[in-house]
Amino acid sequence: MLNVVILAAGQGKRMRSDLPKVLHPVAGKPMLGHVVDTARRLAPAKICVVHGHGGETVRAALDAPDLLWAKQEPQLGTGHAVLQAMPQLAAVPPAPTLVLYGDVPLIRAATLERLIEAVGDGKLALLTAHLDNPRGYGRIVRVDGKVVRIVEEKDADDAERAIREINTGILVAPGAALARWLPQLGNRNAQGEYYLTDIVALAVAEGMEVVTAQPGANWETDGVNSKSQLARLERIHQRNLAEALMEQGVTLADPDRIDVRGELVCGRDVFIDVNCVFEGRVTLGDGARINANCVIQDAVVGPDSVIGPFARLRPGTTLAEDVHIGNFVEVKNSTIAAHSKANHLAYVGDATVGSRVNVGAGTITCNYDGANKHRTVIEDDVFIGSDTQLVAPVTVGRGATLGAGTTLTKDAPPDQLTVSRPKQISIAGWKRPQKTKTSRKKE
Ligand code: UD1
Ligand code: CA
């Protein structure tokens, strides 16, 4: 049994943004969303998010049936914040309570599992780290090796400030003890806040053992207070995602130049060139090749398909095997069957494209009439000449050929050439206009 409290009430002034701090995204997902998802992996009985700054914005962004919410207003400190969650966690028997921060997005479940294990039957467990520069953090004060209290930087004397073991803020406390301690906290300290960290001295006074565990990597417990720190964690997270992809066998031209903002599922022998962005849920089949500078969102790329360079696959794109989507081609809400190609400068939207279709350069499905979207159906073995507009709804029959420059407003029958184009004329003896003397003077 475990309960989780996530502190997310702080303002985050240094973000200089109207968006509450915990909603700023890492890899396209709010920081708080990362923490909630990690908490879920621990299969706790309850998860309670303490929110405050930003009113209902935070709750509205992340609400889900498995989340409880507690409002902290005003924000009087971390101890006061956890106290607000206690009514939501009231349970018999009380469970150990894990405290997480909504602005510490990269904490790993494996680290938390170790901390939870350390609690045993009724210890207080703190996640601590040893830092070369501990400035700003609460320090872990030990006597004879045993933790006796935490002192905040602003309340510390010189000797305490020299301590390099810091409080990450993440801890697990026995539920009943926590409920007993929180109302006892005072705010007579340098910041006039109710410090959660003061529960350590209360535990020690009761004779409870205080144990510690460390994160696998220090970035796991790094918090975000500024855009610069947000960008730093984004890079660390992206690098971790890239490592995981390579471990699965994906070839990345440069693991520092890929951005995955969602879930990227790859088959065997997938190659991804530099500067590609994947958003939402993207699946790349065996042998797929994504050339440089592509943006792919909520799409399925079939086996041995080749995308880009400079291609954009938007939501609802499903490509079968050996489909080629080339430079400056945009595909949206469309299915394209096997061996079809759109290699240059095209827009394929709300279309059903068959097998072995050639979509010529500059082809556009005119799917939007200003009010409604309409579908285009292109059957198997169609050849579409360059610079063709397909004004939907329209169907191009199997094996049809559309002449270059056609504006198709009616269905094209199968196996025929359909072309809409003024007849070409040439005017004999025609002379190009010459500049007159007066207009030359003006120049
Ligand atoms: C806290 C710890 C400190 C630790 C540091 C790690 C205390 C007293 N100090 O300090 O020992 O080294 O974190 O970063 O706990 N929050 C609320 N409501 C509040 C105050 C804070 O929800 O009233 C939330 C914040 O949004 C944030 C987290 O709690 O997510 C930590 O708050 P912050 O003000 O950053 O704590 P620190 O003073 O840095
Ligand atoms: Ca902090």
Side-chain angles (χ1 to χ4, degrees):
M1 277 280 271
L2 177 77
N3 288 326
V4 180
V5 176
I6 303 174
L7 303 189
Q11 178 179 11
K13 244 192 222 148
R14 285 170 55 201
M15 297 298 277
R16 297 183 184 279
S17 168
D18 291 337
L19 190 67
K21 176 163 77 171
V22 293
L23 294 186
H24 283 266
V26 168
K29 181 162 80 176
M31 286 195 276
L32 179 57
H34 285 269
V35 180
V36 166
D37 285 346
T38 303
R40 283 180 175 132
R41 290 181 54 193
L42 305 169
K46 292 179 179 177
I47 301 174
C48 181
V49 182
V50 181
H51 67 125
H53 200 87
E56 294 305 311
T57 325
V58 172
R59 180 172 184 165
L62 288 169
D63 212 0
D66 64 336
L67 297 183
L68 302 167
W69 295 85
K71 191 96 175 254
Q72 186 200 20
E73 193 113 75
Q75 289 95 48
L76 301 179
T78 50
H80 178 256
V82 178
L83 183 62
Q84 310 312 305
M86 294 316 276
Q88 297 277 31
L89 300 182
V92 186
T97 301
L98 166 67
V99 177
L100 297 174
Y101 287 3
D103 58 0
V104 178
L106 300 189
I107 186 71
R108 285 191 291 202
T111 294
L112 297 175
E113 275 158 8
R114 271 192 289 114
L115 190 68
I116 292 159
E117 222 161 84
V119 167
D121 48 357
K123 294 173 202 157
L124 175 60
L126 308 175
L127 193 66
T128 71
H130 298 269
L131 300 184
D132 290 337
N133 177 12
R135 236 189 96 196
Y137 289 97
R139 309 296 207 283
I140 307 295
V141 181
R142 292 178 185 264
V143 173
D144 298 330
K146 283 193 163 28
V147 176
V148 293
R149 62 195 177 91
I150 296 176
V151 61
E152 291 303 298
E153 163 108 7
K154 288 186 176 131
D155 300 291
D157 60 29
D158 286 350
E160 289 163 340
R161 264 194 290 261
I163 299 171
R164 297 216 300 221
E165 186 182 10
I166 62 99
N167 173 35
T168 66
I170 293 170
L171 57 80
V172 184
L178 191 62
R180 195 164 64 237
W181 296 330
L182 290 175
Q184 297 180 44
L185 297 177
N187 65 350
R188 294 176 60 179
N189 51 52
Q191 302 183 79
E193 288 183 1
Y194 295 89
Y195 290 167
L196 178 62
T197 44
D198 285 348
I199 67 169
V200 176
L202 292 175
V204 171
E206 285 185 6
M208 185 184 286
E209 198 182 338
V210 181
V211 293
T212 58
Q214 281 72 44
N218 277 345
W219 47 255
E220 284 188 57
T221 53
D222 284 348
V224 171
N225 295 303
S226 65
K227 292 287 171 67
S228 173
Q229 291 167 345
L230 181 69
R232 186 177 157 269
L233 289 194
E234 176 79 31
R235 283 351 295 166
I236 290 171
H237 184 59
Q238 289 299 340
R239 181 70 202 208
N240 291 342
L241 294 174
E243 291 294 336
L245 287 171
M246 292 188 293
E247 213 147 279
Q248 291 159 32
V250 177
T251 303
L252 301 179
D254 182 351
D256 287 324
R257 282 186 288 169
I258 174 174
D259 284 87
V260 180
R261 302 173 191 151
E263 195 191 351
L264 176 59
V265 180
C266 294
R268 283 180 81 80
D269 296 309
V270 166
F271 171 80
I272 301 174
D273 211 330
V274 298
N275 297 334
C276 292
V277 179
F278 300 89
E279 297 179 300
R281 197 189 150 83
V282 174
T283 303
L284 306 180
D286 293 352
R289 182 183 174 93
I290 313 298
N291 290 315
N293 301 298
C294 292
V295 179
I296 303 184
Q297 181 180 12
D298 292 311
V300 176
V301 174
D304 299 317
S305 287
V306 181
I307 311 302
F310 298 100
R312 180 173 182 205
L313 305 183
R314 291 172 53 203
T317 296
T318 299
L319 309 179
E321 66 169 313
D322 183 37
V323 169
H324 291 210
I325 302 295
N327 40 226
F328 309 107
V329 174
E330 173 181 345
V331 184
K332 184 215 77 171
N333 190 30
S334 295
T335 59
I336 302 183
H339 315 297
S340 289
K341 294 175 175 54
N343 273 330
H344 334 266
L345 303 155
Y347 173 57
V348 179
D350 301 307
T352 304
V353 180
S355 293
R356 296 170 304 276
V357 169
N358 186 82
V359 177
T363 296
I364 290 177
T365 54
C366 309
N367 58 328
Y368 185 52
D369 60 14
N372 298 298
K373 303 260 169 76
H374 302 281
R375 282 201 83 79
T376 299
V377 176
I378 301 168
E379 295 180 353
D380 293 346
D381 299 298
V382 163
F383 181 94
I384 300 176
S386 298
D387 191 27
T388 293
Q389 302 93 49
L390 300 125
V391 183
V394 75
T395 295
V396 184
R398 172 188 275 267
T401 298
L402 302 186
T406 291
T407 300
L408 195 73
T409 52
K410 292 177 290 197
D411 291 354
D415 298 317
Q416 296 180 22
L417 169 68
T418 299
V419 60
S420 84
R421 200 195 285 163
K423 275 225 156 57
Q424 181 168 325
I425 57 165
S426 301
I427 299 170
W430 179 83
K431 286 270 184 315
R432 206 182 281 170
Q434 298 288 313
K435 277 192 177 171
T436 59
K437 270 179 190 153
T438 46
S439 72
R440 223 179 257 163
K441 225 182 236 166
K442 265 186 204 155
E443 276 173 11

